[in-house]
Amino acid sequence: MFLNNFFKTSEQSKTFLKEERITLREKQNRTLKADVKSVLYYRDWIQAKTNHTFDSTRILGIVATTKGAESYLPYTIPKIIQQISQMGMMADIVIGLNNGFECPAVIERLSLLPNIEIIHLYTEEKLANNIPALIFDNIICQGQPYCLTNIDTHQDRHRIFVVHQKQGQYSAGKIRVLADIYSSLLLKSIENGWIPPSILVTFDAESQFLVSHNYSVTDLESNGLKLIVNQLQTHRKIDIIGTRNKFAVYEKAIVDGIEVLLPNFSEQVPPIQWFIDIVHGRFSGFECKWGGGTFGRTDVIVSLLAVISINYPGIRTEDTQLTILAKYAGFLDNIFLDVISTNRTPSMTDMTMGQPQKKAWIEQIYRWLASVHGLKLLYGKHNIKMLVNDGFPWFTLTSPITFLKLLKLNQKSSILKTVFFLLIAFLVYKFIKKNSRKYPDILQGEKAKAFW
């Protein structure tokens, strides 16, 4: 009798757990479906408002910044504008200064560039973490909210829009200033008749777009932006193109008399970052469109990031979420392997500032994994595993020849040291993943934290 009751209770428990898993999966599927529906609604709305017409003479660039960006922007913004100019096009660059961050010396320097117009914009204080703040062209935020307009053809100037986000309880975090930009500036402007550029690029303060064919030596003077924009202009059916990620340790340098941070490609990056760079864009599960270098149709990118930034004020991997939603929305995407976008990583010896101090490069991966686990809870592992893999890289066993060829191309030391480096990456990654699962990012609600 006891054994019969035991087995009966055990079977009931299994049935309950199975039903619970099914219920959770259905909830995750519904959430994903609802977000995709919202993205497609915004895309259709933008196309209707613009009558499917977009400005082919300009490129729109969006970057969110915080403390530390002043070490990159004096080099990267002029470089991006120069690359756009070499295509015979003009730039509309929107720089979001997050949560009261200011860099007046940088903006003053940018204003001295030839053929540049600087437009200062200001946000009201945010009322909640998921409510975009209105944007005005005056610091006291009076009058009508500001809207972008189209420049007459004879007024060929690059424009830099500096969005000064007011410091506040709900402002801290990259995603919060992106919500203000994509909703209160871009969508509001389209609603009021602005015809946006046809191509939009998202980038980070340190991003450089360089040509690198098949892991060859990177030409620091090359124009990767031109190459990838040409891909979009040639292949009209492609909606989104990601660059190949290139982690680099940045070091101080003097450029035109000012101190900036530039990537040092000769310095060995930490093992996990090194592994990610090798496989990014080449294997299933490593197809994320990195926020430091994603190009696409403006209606598509704006739709995706408007939904993400408004609905998920706790997300810190908006680029990973963009990749997921883009795929399920049916947008045609790709990663262009011949163009890299640089991405800063700490050196092997850098430590965090807080107490206790930790290895900075490990914390970088920890933050990514904690956010990815939050997305797994939101959409379900079953929905994202083909796009974002945080498990064992099975392709190392199923496609060993391809993987070994990539290792050889990226080998900076002996085979023995390379294998040892891979072993370190694997062991450390398992440790980080285990810890990150304990505290997944909270993406919505009052408990959603503000992350940069």
Side-chain angles (χ1 to χ4, degrees):
M1 178 69 69
F2 172 77
L3 287 176
N4 286 339
N5 288 337
F6 173 80
F7 287 122
K8 184 177 181 180
T9 302
S10 179
E11 288 300 318
Q12 288 174 341
S13 298
K14 289 180 181 178
T15 301
F16 175 77
L17 290 172
K18 184 177 180 181
E19 290 176 351
E20 191 176 50
R21 284 196 296 269
I22 292 173
T23 301
L24 176 60
R25 178 175 287 217
E26 289 176 348
K27 180 181 177 182
Q28 291 166 333
N29 290 342
R30 286 197 300 269
T31 300
L32 177 58
K33 185 177 180 180
D35 285 347
V36 168
K37 184 178 180 180
S38 295
V39 168
L40 293 175
Y41 166 81
Y42 275 115
R43 196 274 308 269
D44 292 342
W45 179 87
I46 292 171
Q47 290 183 345
K49 283 291 182 181
T50 62
N51 195 26
H52 297 265
T53 301
F54 297 91
D55 186 352
S56 61
T57 67
R58 308 183 75 83
I59 291 179
L60 178 61
I62 309 292
V63 58
T65 63
T66 189
K67 184 179 180 180
E70 65 273 12
S71 297
Y72 307 102
L73 297 178
Y75 182 84
T76 55
I77 295 295
K79 185 75 173 178
I80 288 171
I81 290 175
Q82 179 190 44
Q83 290 180 328
I84 293 173
S85 295
Q86 289 174 355
M87 300 181 62
M89 301 177 72
M90 308 304 292
D92 279 342
I93 305 293
V94 182
I95 303 175
L97 304 181
N98 179 235
N99 195 27
F101 166 65
E102 295 289 344
C103 50
V106 174
I107 304 305
E108 176 64 25
R109 187 175 182 86
L110 294 178
S111 70
L112 300 176
L113 295 173
N115 211 25
I116 291 286
E117 180 183 6
I118 304 286
I119 299 98
H120 290 274
L121 304 175
Y122 306 87
T123 73
E124 288 184 323
E125 187 171 346
K126 292 179 78 71
L127 301 178
N129 62 20
N130 62 346
I131 299 178
L134 294 178
I135 295 176
F136 298 83
D137 62 359
N138 60 89
I139 196 168
I140 57 176
C141 297
Q142 288 188 348
Q144 292 296 315
Y146 180 85
C147 288
L148 298 161
T149 58
N150 296 99
I151 298 176
D152 294 335
T153 54
H154 68 277
Q155 293 180 304
D156 288 335
R157 289 173 295 176
H158 302 289
R159 299 190 294 181
I160 298 178
F161 300 90
V162 183
V163 179
H164 303 263
Q165 188 192 44
K166 186 170 292 185
Q167 186 175 9
Q169 178 183 354
Y170 303 111
S171 294
K174 174 183 180 180
I175 197 66
R176 313 287 174 85
V177 73
L178 289 179
D180 295 348
I181 291 171
Y182 280 95
S183 181
S184 295
L185 183 61
L186 302 188
L187 288 179
K188 181 68 69 174
S189 297
I190 291 170
E191 184 179 21
N192 283 273
W194 175 55
I195 301 299
S198 59
I199 293 175
L200 186 155
V201 53
T202 70
F203 61 99
D204 293 333
E206 75 268 26
S207 296
Q208 295 185 41
F209 303 113
L210 306 171
V211 178
S212 180
H213 297 292
N214 202 27
Y215 298 96
S216 60
V217 176
T218 303
D219 182 3
L220 296 176
E221 298 303 318
S222 59
N223 191 339
L225 186 146
K226 178 180 180 180
L227 205 61
I228 203 165
V229 168
N230 282 342
Q231 286 289 309
L232 280 170
Q233 291 173 332
T234 303
H235 302 89
R236 296 290 180 177
K237 291 184 178 181
I238 295 179
D239 296 301
I240 302 172
I241 295 185
T243 50
R244 179 161 57 86
N245 187 68
K246 179 67 174 177
F247 281 113
V249 176
Y250 279 62
E251 62 180 19
K252 292 180 181 179
I254 302 298
V255 176
D256 296 332
I258 61 168
E259 187 178 274
V260 295
L261 291 175
L262 296 178
N264 177 7
F265 295 122
S266 64
E267 183 169 345
Q268 178 66 61
V269 300
I272 298 176
Q273 286 84 342
W274 171 75
F275 179 83
I276 290 173
D277 278 357
I278 292 174
V279 301
H280 180 231
R282 294 185 179 272
F283 295 100
S284 175
F286 290 85
E287 299 175 297
C288 178
K289 310 301 182 293
W290 294 85
T294 294
F295 294 71
R297 311 296 170 190
T298 295
D299 55 326
V300 171
I301 300 290
V302 170
S303 300
L304 287 162
L305 285 172
V307 170
I308 292 169
S309 60
I310 296 171
N311 291 352
Y312 300 98
I315 190 72
R316 51 178 159 179
T317 52
E318 79 288 341
D319 48 4
T320 305
Q321 193 170 12
L322 178 147
T323 302
I324 296 166
L325 291 180
K327 180 64 70 174
Y328 283 95
F331 297 139
L332 187 61
D333 62 345
N334 191 14
I335 293 179
F336 193 51
L337 296 174
D338 287 339
V339 174
I340 63 168
S341 58
T342 58
N343 191 352
R344 181 183 178 275
T345 186
S347 71
M348 296 280 285
T349 58
D350 286 345
M351 304 296 290
T352 59
M353 298 295 290
Q355 295 295 332
Q357 287 190 319
K358 301 176 182 179
K359 289 285 189 182
W361 69 269
I362 291 178
E363 286 301 293
Q364 184 180 47
I365 300 299
Y366 176 91
R367 290 191 297 269
W368 182 75
L369 285 175
S371 189
V372 168
H373 192 55
L375 287 172
K376 286 167 68 175
L377 295 175
L378 179 70
Y379 294 140
K381 180 179 178 180
H382 60 287
N383 282 322
I384 74 173
K385 62 183 179 180
M386 294 302 293
L387 299 170
V388 186
N389 177 29
D390 66 346
F392 184 80
W394 291 106
F395 57 80
T396 58
L397 302 179
T398 57
S399 304
I401 296 177
T402 302
F403 178 64
L404 289 172
K405 285 181 179 179
L406 291 172
L407 278 185
K408 187 176 181 180
L409 285 170
N410 287 271
Q411 185 180 325
K412 290 186 177 182
S413 55
S414 66
I415 290 292
L416 185 61
K417 286 186 177 180
T418 300
V419 172
F420 180 67
F421 214 52
L422 274 175
L423 181 61
I424 292 175
F426 177 70
L427 294 176
V428 174
Y429 187 82
K430 284 189 66 177
F431 171 78
I432 301 173
K433 182 181 176 182
K434 181 180 179 181
N435 286 341
S436 68
R437 288 176 62 89
K438 299 176 183 177
Y439 305 103
D441 285 356
I442 298 173
L443 307 183
Q444 295 175 300
E446 293 183 358
K447 293 184 179 179
K449 295 181 180 179
F451 296 108
W452 179 249

